[in-house]
Amino acid sequence: EVDVAGCDTMADGTTTDEKERRKDEDPCEALKKRYEKCFNHWYTEEFLKGQLEPKCQDEFEEYRDCVVEKMQKKNLGRVLEAAESASAKQQ
């Protein structure tokens, strides 16, 4: 990385500012943050205090669906299929 006028330039030629801007425009980013907030609350306020019932399933499903849709739009559906196949074989 090279610092250019206060911005780090990555190997692909983009700056960290550009990467942050793209992340903010990502439709899945808000869902990710919502899930992480829920999970972190559950983990620290419930799980670590002995309440083992999982929470945040709805938030996880919404985020996962968004990521899957995004991957399919980029023709990465075969990656998902391979992961699901490998997971099924382990069970």
Side-chain angles (χ1 to χ4, degrees):
E1 297 181 17
V2 178
D3 187 27
V4 177
C7 298
D8 291 331
T9 302
M10 310 306 278
D12 64 1
T14 60
T15 65
T16 52
D17 287 344
E18 289 171 312
K19 289 194 181 290
E20 284 299 314
R21 200 169 27 257
R22 285 184 198 157
K23 192 165 89 171
D24 290 341
E25 294 170 1
D26 182 351
C28 299
E29 190 64 24
L31 296 172
K32 177 184 177 197
K33 288 178 181 177
R34 186 171 155 234
Y35 168 67
E36 288 176 341
K37 182 178 178 182
C38 181
F39 178 85
N40 289 335
H41 174 79
W42 168 77
Y43 185 77
T44 58
E45 301 300 321
E46 297 180 32
F47 179 78
L48 292 177
K49 295 177 181 176
Q51 299 173 14
L52 306 180
E53 184 177 327
K55 303 267 173 118
C56 308
Q57 192 64 28
D58 291 341
E59 289 84 351
F60 174 76
E61 295 284 332
E62 287 181 60
Y63 174 55
R64 180 185 179 278
D65 291 347
C66 184
V67 171
V68 166
E69 182 179 329
K70 191 173 173 182
M71 288 181 74
Q72 288 172 338
K73 285 180 181 177
K74 294 184 178 196
N75 295 321
L76 296 173
R78 64 185 176 280
V79 174
L80 294 172
E81 291 168 7
E84 289 172 354
S85 177
S87 177
K89 288 178 184 178
Q90 291 178 347
Q91 293 177 358

